[in-house]
Amino acid sequence: DVDTERPTHVFAVDDDASSLEVLEAACAIAGFHFSSTSRPKEALNLVRDREPDVILLDVMMPELDGFDLCRMIKAEEDLQLIPIVMVTALDSKEDKIKGLESGCDDFMSKPIDRIELTARVRSLARVRKLTENLDNAEKVLEMLARGVEAKDETTGDHCDRLTRAGVAFGKHLGFSAPDVRALGRAG
């Protein structure tokens, strides 16, 4: 598993109870923590609360399809790096393109193969953990920069000014939100 302190948390959204039971059994065999909902409209709040390591989304659901739910999850800065796997019986090129455009990270076909599910979840959870480690490293670097800045009275709030200037410059040039954040981090 990715983290010896806690099992990988898999969160599934599927309107079919029997599909959720199959996913839960496969996750239990693999040693993953599993939670789910059959109501796609409540899924976003549950993802916010639980911050799972990997999300499994059914594509064809009433009220809200998996593509729209994926877009909603990926639109939130705190959730956008959680890997999402679209689990679907659809296998057309157009459906896969639509899934990728909505922000999903991978696809799995129904019926689910337990061994494939385990391998994909482990791989995506590993990537999630590495991403979290990079985010933590970024925070450490920011703290070190602030520590150096605090010891040198001549620089004042130099890091903050550089951050604000980078963000303003990126916005002025029309950069995407992730690129603007990267300029701010560089400052």
Side-chain angles (χ1 to χ4, degrees), residues 164-179:
R164 285 192 304 272
V167 167
F169 188 57
K171 285 180 179 178
H172 175 74
L173 294 176
F175 285 7
S176 67
D179 289 341

Side-chain angles (χ1 to χ4, degrees), residues 146-155:
R146 297 213 181 274
V148 169
E149 186 178 71
K151 290 184 179 190
D152 186 352
E153 294 176 17
T154 61
T155 60

Side-chain angles (χ1 to χ4, degrees), residues 14-15 27 29 51 62 78 82 94 103 105 140 144 156 162 167 176:
D14 196 320
D15 61 311
C27 286
I29 291 168
E51 290 192 34
D78 291 343
I82 299 173
E94 292 80 19
D105 300 281
V140 169
L144 289 172
L162 283 175
V167 167
S176 67

